[in-house]
Amino acid sequence: MTQKRPGVGERGSRLAVRSVAGQVFVLQLAIVLLLVLAAAAGLAWQARLADVRSARERSRACAATLALAPSTAAALRSSSPTGKLQPVSVRAGRECGIDFVAVLDREGVRVSDPLPRLIGKRATGDFSRALAGQSYTEQFEGQPKDSVRAVAPVQDPDGRVTGLVTAGVDLATVSAKLDRELPWVGAGAAGALLLATLGAGLVSRRLNRQTRGLGPAEVTRMYEHHDAVLHAVREGVLVLDGDRRLVLANDEAHRLLRLPDHAQGQQTDDLRLEPGIAGLLSSGRSASDEVYAVGDRMLAVNQRPTGSDGGPAGSVTTLRDTTELREVAGQAQVAAQRLELLYTAGLRIGTTLDVVRTAEELTEVAVPRFADAATVDLLEPVIGGQEPLPGPSAAAVRRVALRFEGGAVPPLQPVDSSPSGPPLSGPRRADGNGGDGDAGDGGDSGDSRDGRDSGDAGDAGDAADLAESVLEPDLAAATDWRAADPERAERMLREGYHSLIMVPLRARGTVLGRACFWRRGRRAFQAEDLASAEELVTRTAVCVDNARRYAREHGLAVTLQRSLLPGGLPEQNAVSAAYRYLPARAGVGGDWFDVIPLPGARVALVVGDVVGHGLHAAATMGRLRTAVHNFSSLDLPPEELLAHLDELVTRIDQDPTLSPDTAAVTGATVLYAIYDPASGRCQFSGAGHPPPVLAYPDGTTAVLDAPENLPLGLGTSPFETRTLTLPEGSRLALYTNGLVQVRSRDLDERLEMLRTALSGTGQGPEETCGAVLEAMLPDRTGEDRDDIALLVAETRLLPSSRIARWEVPSDPEAVAPVRAACAARLVEWGLEEAAFTAELILSELITNAIRYGAPPVTVRLLCDRCLTCEVSDSSSTAPHLRRATTVDEGGRGLFLIAQLAQHWGTRYTAEGKTIWAELSLDGAPSEVPLV
């Protein structure tokens, strides 16, 4: 921050020598000092002259008096003149106040003298004039002292000069008197000098205030600038005092305001100015670039009050002629507003891939920046993400956005309405016969052609109608547009809506709908506004088309995903299950779940997740789910199934036929669990998946310690499996990471929340799913966009009365007793109709186990939704189904089993293998096929 130079630009600041006031003060001080010194010297000189003159007069008076005394002449004639004259002369000198009085004879010898030693000595000097009878005074220089003396002749009665009388004052005495007078002269001179200095200081201080401490060069420049302002500057300047009296007006101000020549010094009210600018000058308020009309000129006026820093009150006003720049400025302003509108549109339109939201963003940008009300109507196929039909007249129109400025709702048809009215015959520009827009709902479709509505037409007109923009600057002058709905149109006019622009939303040559803009509280739409509206709508149409295409693709992806997910849970008695699936907020995800019935009344519970979103993730999810179904049909244990699934993912990633743009499946996770209701055992294994959570019947919960295996496709070491026994009524929760992973919380904290949600007792799977989502979803934000799959299974146990088990000796003769025992048990279960078929299947299976397998051989019957016959042995030899020829003596057993049973297969265990066959409980087949 710069500091002001002392004495410059500040009232009352100290004087600076370089300032005008400082230089004037120094000059005044020098003149006063010289005058005082000259006056003092003159007074001293005059005092000395006066003292000398006084000495002369007193000396002459004394000498003359003594010379004229008769006794003096008599004493000179006597024999002892000294004795007579000495006392007289001494007394005369003392009485006359002079230094000496001496009486001389004609020869100039002293007869008497104040100094006795000089008596009898001749006095120096020329006394000829005195001897001639003349009295005179002189300044004597000589012995005994320099002095001012008077000489007077002493005459006898006859007039003859008999002697001389000298009287005088020593010059030393005169100087001593002057010395006593000089201090008073000096005191007077000092007093005069002090008073003169104070006066000069006061005058200079006032001058300093008036000149603001400026120096001569600055004052010169100031007057040059003042002259330039008055005569050369092409901007009017007015200076008014606190009484609103004109103090200064330059030539340009005189020209612009047409001021009279004698305007200076007059009040503003007396200048006969235009009312607007006169009011501004009289108010004295601040103004910045306010425009006033003065005659045929447009003046931009700036005004600032003065006196805030202690100076004189008033105001300074500048005037600039903007008449020629007005039109250019207006065009620049319109261009700037258009650029700002388009810039705002680029930022705020198309922020989402939602068709309706994009249309709403258009109205939010347009109102109130561009219009007082705006509507957007879209074709129904566009809203649904479909491609518009070739003829827009074949599709209905629906209003998706309406926005207006002000409190009163305009008489336009509301959002979600289907604007009705006959189609247009063809578009035309504003010509007084109508426009195009939204007149069918009180102007909601602009005007109509041939009495038909252009905007709220149910069929939206034909392609040509919507392909042209329409500008209607004066709705009141157009009559045809009111025909479709005269009452609503009149209400629009009464509300003050006076002009309309309708622009079709068109992208890639396809009409998607239309946008209508209305004005009422500002100037009517002009041609340049139509260009702005078209640019605005064109940008919006591209965003709407992108959103439409995204909606279509998203719909296809969602349809694909839904088709790949289970439509419902299969019927089985091992568990009571419920699920929840929440799709991703953006795109489709790769989460899935499954409940797969397995032989032996068992069930497989699967939850998987493919990292990423989109069609690729959904397709990959479908491939993995299909693979899990296929592998589970082989009745593989969890670790082997995951190993096959991992190998499949690796082959998919290495497939040379895949496009380079196809993302790898690496990142897919899965959790596979098998629950056996006959024993209550649950085997589970995971590949990079979150662990399951178990809720026991008493309400306690635990996060199960799942094996820490890596995700699929990484070629990891063999997968591990955990086995545990679950009490009946336990609830097992399997889920994807979208449920527990949010950005705002730690994973352990989210798992604890999940455990708390599962801890309630007396809840079924459906209630548990609802409680879990109610507890876990509130923490999710817009950034947590992953989809969620949740599967809750409540365990059941197969009653022991529905399970039968026999150990079979390794003897072919033991087949018949076991077969008979099985038939008896089937009769106990009320399955007499299936007994014959079961006997045949068991006979074949037991015989094969004894003949080709290894002891021990075990037979088990399970009665659930179907009858399962299982024969186990400790051999791992796999049976193979083949068709025996007519001459073969064997090889027909498995073929017979395949024909009699609904399903059959082999399951390998740690103890060997189990061959099983399932029979329907609806009854045995009517015929046994011959082999």
Side-chain angles (χ1 to χ4, degrees):
M1 179 177 180
T2 58
Q3 294 182 347
K4 292 183 178 180
R5 179 171 52 84
V8 177
E10 187 176 329
R11 290 193 58 178
S13 59
R14 64 179 183 270
L15 298 178
V17 175
R18 66 177 299 274
S19 67
V20 172
Q23 294 182 5
V24 170
F25 173 75
V26 171
L27 179 61
Q28 288 179 326
L29 185 62
I31 293 174
V32 169
L33 181 60
L34 291 176
L35 291 177
V36 169
L37 292 177
L43 288 176
W45 179 252
Q46 288 180 356
R48 181 178 179 82
L49 292 180
D51 290 342
V52 171
R53 186 168 51 253
S54 174
R56 287 176 178 270
E57 290 176 354
R58 285 186 288 114
S59 298
R60 177 183 295 179
C62 184
T65 301
L66 184 59
L68 294 175
S71 58
T72 302
L76 286 174
R77 291 193 301 268
S78 66
S79 59
S80 178
T82 300
K84 294 180 180 179
L85 294 176
Q86 181 66 19
V88 174
S89 62
V90 171
R91 187 173 60 250
R94 186 172 53 252
E95 291 179 357
C96 291
I98 56 179
D99 291 334
F100 65 92
V101 176
V103 180
L104 308 178
D105 59 12
R106 285 183 57 86
E107 299 300 328
V109 177
R110 290 185 179 88
V111 176
S112 66
D113 194 274
L115 297 177
R117 59 182 177 84
L118 296 179
I119 297 174
K121 294 182 179 181
R122 190 179 186 285
T124 60
D126 182 13
F127 299 108
S128 59
R129 287 185 298 169
L131 293 176
Q134 181 181 357
S135 297
Y136 61 93
T137 60
E138 65 179 354
Q139 185 169 341
F140 170 75
E141 294 179 359
Q143 291 298 329
K145 291 181 180 180
D146 295 339
S147 61
V148 176
R149 68 180 180 181
V151 180
V154 179
Q155 297 178 348
D156 57 11
D158 297 331
R160 186 172 60 89
V161 177
T162 60
L164 301 174
V165 176
T166 63
V169 178
D170 295 338
L171 291 177
T173 301
V174 174
S175 297
K177 184 177 181 182
L178 180 62
D179 292 341
R180 289 192 301 270
E181 294 175 349
L182 281 179
W184 295 102
V185 174
L193 180 61
L194 178 61
L195 291 176
T197 302
L198 291 176
L202 292 175
V203 172
S204 299
R205 182 180 179 86
R206 181 175 181 82
L207 180 61
N208 185 63
R209 291 180 180 180
Q210 294 176 344
T211 60
R212 299 286 180 173
L214 300 176
E218 294 168 327
V219 171
T220 301
R221 285 197 302 271
M222 181 182 68
Y223 278 100
E224 290 174 351
H225 296 166
H226 180 270
D227 186 69
V229 168
L230 287 179
H231 306 294
V233 174
R234 302 303 298 172
E235 184 167 331
V237 178
L238 298 175
V239 179
L240 283 77
D241 60 15
D243 297 329
R244 319 319 303 161
R245 184 179 290 104
L246 183 62
V247 176
L248 181 144
N250 67 349
D251 296 346
E252 185 68 7
H254 277 270
R255 184 181 71 85
L256 295 177
L257 298 179
R258 300 185 179 90
L259 297 176
D261 296 337
H262 56 281
Q264 189 166 339
Q266 294 188 22
Q267 296 283 345
T268 54
D269 297 338
D270 300 332
L271 297 177
R272 299 180 181 179
L273 302 175
E274 297 289 342
I277 195 169
L280 175 64
L281 296 176
S282 300
S283 66
R285 62 177 177 85
S286 296
S288 297
D289 290 330
E290 295 185 7
V291 179
Y292 292 91
V294 178
D296 56 349
R297 301 179 184 275
M298 300 298 294
L299 303 183
V301 182
N302 290 273
Q303 181 168 276
R304 294 293 182 271
T306 61
S308 58
D309 58 349
S315 63
V316 176
T317 306
T318 60
L319 312 167
R320 187 173 65 257
D321 189 357
T322 61
T323 305
E324 297 177 355
L325 300 178
R326 197 64 182 171
E327 182 178 355
V328 176
Q331 295 174 355
Q333 183 179 7
V334 170
Q337 291 175 350
R338 179 182 181 185
L339 290 176
E340 187 207 359
L341 177 67
L342 298 180
Y343 174 76
T344 304
L347 293 178
R348 297 183 55 182
I349 297 178
T351 59
T352 64
L353 289 173
D354 182 84
V355 172
V356 175
R357 179 57 191 154
T358 302
E360 292 174 347
E361 290 172 341
L362 169 60
T363 60
E364 291 172 359
V365 170
V367 178
R369 294 178 181 84
F370 181 70
D372 297 303
T375 61
V376 178
D377 304 329
L378 296 179
L379 301 176
E380 287 287 356
V382 175
I383 300 174
Q386 303 302 317
E387 190 77 22
L389 298 176
S393 59
V397 172
R398 180 152 59 94
R399 176 145 298 163
V400 295
L402 167 63
R403 189 177 181 85
F404 56 90
E405 185 182 22
V409 179
L412 301 173
Q413 287 188 264
V415 174
D416 290 332
S417 64
S418 297
S420 60
L424 292 173
S425 60
R428 278 180 281 178
R429 295 288 172 174
D431 56 2
N433 295 324
D436 192 7
D438 253 285
D441 55 359
D444 189 41
S445 295
D447 68 303
S448 63
R449 306 293 179 262
D450 301 327
R452 292 176 292 179
D453 184 17
S454 73
D456 279 335
D459 55 11
D462 55 26
D465 297 331
L466 291 177
E468 295 293 334
S469 301
V470 174
L471 167 65
E472 180 54 72
D474 188 3
L475 291 177
T479 57
D480 293 342
W481 71 281
R482 310 182 194 184
D485 192 343
E487 181 181 355
R488 194 183 295 272
E490 289 299 329
R491 290 172 56 196
M492 287 291 292
L493 293 175
R494 286 197 302 270
E495 290 288 336
Y497 290 95
H498 53 71
S499 58
L500 160 72
I501 287 178
M502 192 283 287
V503 181
L505 278 85
R506 181 172 52 193
R508 299 183 297 110
T510 302
V511 175
L512 308 177
R514 62 170 167 264
C516 299
F517 306 97
W518 303 83
R519 278 187 181 178
R520 64 173 180 178
R522 62 184 85 184
R523 68 177 180 86
F525 284 121
Q526 305 298 325
E528 60 270 15
D529 297 318
L530 178 61
S532 300
E534 289 177 338
E535 179 70 19
L536 183 63
V537 174
T538 299
R539 295 190 180 194
T540 305
V542 173
C543 296
V544 169
D545 187 58
N546 291 338
R548 178 193 63 79
R549 298 172 67 183
Y550 169 79
R552 181 186 62 185
E553 295 177 2
H554 184 264
L556 293 175
V558 170
T559 302
L560 172 63
Q561 183 189 36
R562 293 296 185 185
S563 66
L564 297 176
L565 288 173
L569 299 181
E571 295 182 357
Q572 43 78 38
N573 291 336
V575 294
S576 174
Y579 68 91
R580 294 290 188 274
Y581 178 77
L582 276 69
R585 297 189 180 184
V588 295
D591 291 11
W592 91 92
F593 61 92
D594 253 320
V595 176
I596 306 173
L598 298 178
R602 297 170 304 140
V603 66
L605 306 175
V606 190
V607 170
D609 183 8
V610 176
V611 176
H613 299 90
L615 287 175
H616 176 71
T620 303
M621 176 268 289
R623 300 177 70 176
L624 294 181
R625 180 170 177 257
T626 302
V628 170
H629 273 271
N630 292 336
F631 292 142
S632 65
S633 66
L634 301 176
D635 210 354
L636 299 175
E639 68 276 9
E640 292 188 20
L641 185 142
L642 292 183
H644 286 292
L645 202 60
D646 181 67
E647 184 179 357
L648 172 64
V649 171
T650 302
R651 289 201 306 269
I652 292 175
D653 287 342
Q654 295 175 354
D655 189 351
T657 62
L658 293 178
S659 170
D661 298 332
T662 303
V665 188
T666 302
T669 65
V670 66
L671 180 67
Y672 186 82
I674 297 177
Y675 174 69
D676 185 358
S679 61
R681 291 194 311 167
C682 180
Q683 294 178 300
F684 61 92
S685 181
H689 203 81
V693 179
L694 179 64
Y696 293 95
D698 60 358
T700 60
T701 60
V703 178
L704 300 183
D705 187 13
E708 296 181 356
N709 301 318
L710 294 178
L712 300 176
L714 298 181
T716 58
S717 58
F719 292 89
E720 298 181 10
T721 301
R722 297 288 167 84
T723 303
L724 68 159
T725 301
L726 304 181
E728 186 176 13
S730 300
R731 286 167 293 152
L732 186 65
L734 286 73
Y735 53 90
T736 56
N737 59 359
L739 180 68
V740 295
Q741 289 184 351
V742 297
R743 298 176 183 269
S744 59
R745 297 217 179 198
D746 185 74
L747 179 60
D748 293 337
E749 185 178 357
R750 293 283 291 177
L751 288 175
E752 186 62 30
M753 293 173 61
L754 178 59
R755 290 182 54 190
T756 302
L758 290 169
S759 63
T761 59
Q763 295 180 344
E766 285 289 341
E767 293 80 2
T768 302
C769 287
V772 168
L773 294 185
E774 184 179 356
M776 306 296 286
L777 290 184
D779 286 343
R780 286 169 62 88
T781 63
E783 297 179 352
D784 304 314
R785 300 177 178 271
D786 202 3
D787 44 357
I788 295 175
L790 172 65
L791 179 63
V792 177
E794 184 177 359
T795 61
R796 298 173 180 172
L797 289 179
L798 189 63
S800 59
S801 60
R802 310 294 285 180
I803 304 173
R805 181 185 178 87
W806 295 273
E807 296 291 338
V808 182
S810 297
D811 186 355
E813 296 181 356
V815 175
V818 173
R819 184 173 58 197
C822 291
R825 182 59 62 91
L826 292 176
V827 172
E828 292 179 8
W829 288 344
L831 302 178
E832 293 86 353
E833 296 181 359
F836 177 70
T837 305
E839 288 182 30
L840 288 178
I841 292 175
L842 287 173
S843 179
E844 289 294 333
L845 292 178
I846 295 173
T847 301
N848 286 341
I850 293 175
R851 178 178 300 178
Y852 303 110
V857 177
T858 305
V859 175
R860 190 174 69 160
L861 295 179
L862 300 174
C863 184
D864 191 34
R865 288 182 174 271
C866 61
L867 177 62
T868 304
C869 303
E870 297 180 349
V871 177
S872 304
D873 67 85
S874 60
S875 173
S876 59
T877 302
H880 297 283
L881 177 65
R882 66 185 178 90
R883 183 181 294 274
T885 64
T886 57
V887 296
D888 289 340
E889 295 181 357
R892 295 176 178 84
L894 289 180
F895 179 77
L896 179 63
I897 293 173
Q899 296 298 317
L900 294 176
Q902 282 186 331
H903 304 286
W904 77 279
T906 302
R907 178 171 70 253
Y908 293 93
T909 63
E911 295 79 14
K913 69 176 182 298
T914 298
I915 302 176
W916 53 268
E918 292 182 349
L919 297 176
S920 172
L921 297 182
D922 296 336
S926 58
E927 294 183 0
V928 177
L930 298 176
V931 293

